[in-house]
Amino acid sequence: MKEQATLTNTMAPNSRKTEFFKGVRDTLPLAIGAVPFGIIFGTLSGSAGLPAAAAIGMSVFVFAGASQFIALGLVAAGTTWPMIVLTTFIVNFRHLLYTATLLPHLQRLSGRWQALLAFGLTDETFAVAVGRWQSTDASPHKKWYQLGSMLFMYTNWNLCTLAGLTAGRLLADIGGWGLDFAMIAAFIGMVLPYLKDRPNICAVVAAGISALLFHGLPHKLGLIAATLIGIGTGVMVETLAKRDTGATAPTAGAERREIDPWI
Amino acid sequence: MDLVYLVAGMALVTFSIRYVLLALSGRVRLSAAMQRALAYVPPTVLTAIIVPAALIPNGETLNFSWTNPYLIGALLTVLIGRLSRNLLATIAGGMLLFVSYQWLLHRGIF
């Protein structure tokens, strides 16, 4: 412990600029992964009946890929805006977990920094930034790392939306290019790291089956039902497993599962 | 469809979810049970989106057959993910196999 303290003291702490560009660099693979999403979002918005201004507005102000895609599908199906906003709430509720995880670190920042970093707390930036916050060195500029990550994702996402709105719309039958499969492939890649224990596997299986069973429900309520059933199944299996193995072990329950997303 | 309300509403709920715990910082603690439940949100939401997209590609009828490129593509993507354990390789490999499979189907190879 003492040795580490000396080490941090003798090394000059990373400057703001160094942290910022480290955040940018570490986000690069995930930003590349988001490129097909952004392009196809811009491209398909037209056929979904969403005007270009609204598509740009979503990328600029909402900045949440999965919910933007789902909104496209709902707009195409003629869903009313309050239902789309409710679905957005459910789909993006996972971000609460991200803030909860980063809370001990973000708590110390000023209100302005908190609002700024919260706005850009996407799946990708969380996956990258959580590692930087939890690393042991005492850099006072870790917030700049997260800022670099989020600004890179943000710029990339908006440029790709524009590319889809302009160049993408010139290409006929974009579906034949496999871009409409990009979201499925990316989401599979994001789910797989979770499938490490029985409760998560059961939760995912239950959510998948429920999503099929309730697919016919109006306003995409099936998505909400399937998610709730999946969560309930996971919690139930976890509770039963603990009861079987003897829940008296002191660490059971208190311990948070760490998911390490692939980068 | 009022598009201004749509975009503003989506922006508001998304930012609120990402910000609310910071705003309440120190005053509200998530219970252990709530945190445990929240941990299941990401994989279940994503799965509830993927499964119908792969099995009901036209939005109406269940297509559980090898002539459904979305289903075969999804299964192959799971396989690549399991083997590579790398997000970029999973997305790129999955898309490549999907496009190849769809092309083979169109050419009537099967």
Side-chain angles (χ1 to χ4, degrees):
Chain A
M1 212 48 213
K2 183 152 191 226
E3 198 178 24
Q4 199 192 342
T6 335
L7 194 69
T8 357
N9 286 341
T10 51
M11 281 193 323
N14 285 334
S15 70
R16 294 169 182 184
K17 206 172 138 189
T18 314
E19 288 281 355
F20 185 90
F21 284 105
K22 237 175 94 174
V24 170
R25 205 180 51 219
D26 291 350
T27 306
L28 185 64
L30 290 165
I32 294 172
V35 166
F37 278 115
I39 293 178
I40 193 162
F41 172 74
T43 307
L44 292 187
S45 59
S47 47
L50 195 70
I56 293 171
M58 277 189 198
S59 286
V60 169
F61 297 114
V62 183
F63 187 37
S67 56
Q68 288 181 228
F69 257 92
I70 291 165
L72 271 196
L74 292 172
V75 168
T79 314
T80 58
W81 72 263
M83 274 319 295
I84 302 180
V85 171
L86 177 65
T87 310
T88 302
F89 179 77
I90 299 295
V91 171
N92 287 340
F93 202 67
R94 68 187 188 282
H95 293 143
L96 195 66
L97 182 72
Y98 301 163
T99 324
T101 308
L102 297 182
L103 198 55
H105 309 287
L106 299 184
Q107 237 165 6
R108 296 180 225 128
L109 304 181
S110 68
R112 221 178 281 176
W113 268 96
Q114 288 182 339
L116 182 65
L117 294 184
F119 172 77
L121 195 57
T122 55
D123 301 275
E124 290 87 351
T125 290
F126 171 75
V128 172
V130 69
R132 183 73 193 105
W133 284 112
Q134 290 175 352
S135 64
T136 48
D137 70 295
S139 165
H141 300 312
K142 289 181 180 179
K143 61 189 178 193
W144 290 89
Y145 179 94
Q146 188 172 337
L147 184 69
S149 171
M150 73 166 262
L151 283 184
F152 185 36
M153 285 302 298
Y154 188 68
T155 313
N156 181 57
W157 181 244
N158 279 285
L159 288 180
C160 291
T161 303
L162 278 180
L165 281 168
T166 52
R169 285 190 176 180
L170 299 176
L171 301 170
D173 185 27
I174 197 89
W177 295 61
L179 284 179
D180 56 345
F181 186 74
M183 185 174 67
I184 299 180
F187 284 6
I188 288 174
M190 285 159 81
V191 169
L192 286 177
Y194 283 93
L195 305 181
K196 280 193 288 205
D197 53 28
R198 192 178 296 175
N200 269 292
I201 293 170
C202 294
V204 160
V205 170
I209 294 173
S210 311
L212 287 180
L213 289 178
F214 298 122
H215 186 258
L217 289 184
H219 310 306
K220 293 262 173 180
L221 281 170
L223 176 67
I224 299 171
T227 304
L228 292 176
I229 292 171
I231 295 169
T233 307
V235 170
M236 201 175 66
V237 173
E238 189 183 332
T239 312
L240 289 176
K242 254 181 223 152
R243 201 169 290 165
D244 286 349
T245 55
T248 44
T251 51
E255 203 180 8
R256 274 272 290 288
R257 266 187 313 279
E258 292 298 330
I259 301 298
D260 80 286
W262 313 325
I263 311 277
Chain B
M1 170 67 60
D2 210 316
L3 292 164
V4 174
Y5 290 133
L6 174 68
V7 175
M10 286 177 69
L12 191 69
V13 294
T14 304
F15 178 74
S16 303
I17 294 164
R18 290 170 177 170
Y19 185 65
V20 66
L21 289 181
L22 291 166
L24 299 172
S25 186
R27 273 173 288 159
V28 165
R29 289 241 168 267
L30 285 181
S31 68
M34 184 67 178
Q35 291 204 11
R36 241 174 53 187
L38 277 176
Y40 292 103
V41 174
T44 51
V45 171
L46 297 176
T47 303
I49 296 168
I50 302 165
V51 172
L55 281 168
I56 316 178
N58 68 1
E60 275 162 27
T61 44
L62 191 68
N63 186 350
F64 200 80
S65 83
W66 51 269
T67 55
N68 174 0
Y70 295 89
L71 172 61
I72 303 299
L75 293 175
L76 292 173
T77 306
V78 170
L79 194 68
I80 299 173
R82 277 288 178 219
L83 295 175
S84 72
R85 302 184 53 78
N86 177 292
L87 185 58
L88 195 56
T90 307
I91 298 173
M95 284 179 65
L96 186 69
L97 288 176
F98 168 80
V99 172
S100 313
Y101 192 82
Q102 201 179 38
W103 184 78
L104 289 174
L105 279 179
H106 280 313
R107 297 289 303 249
I109 303 284
F110 295 117

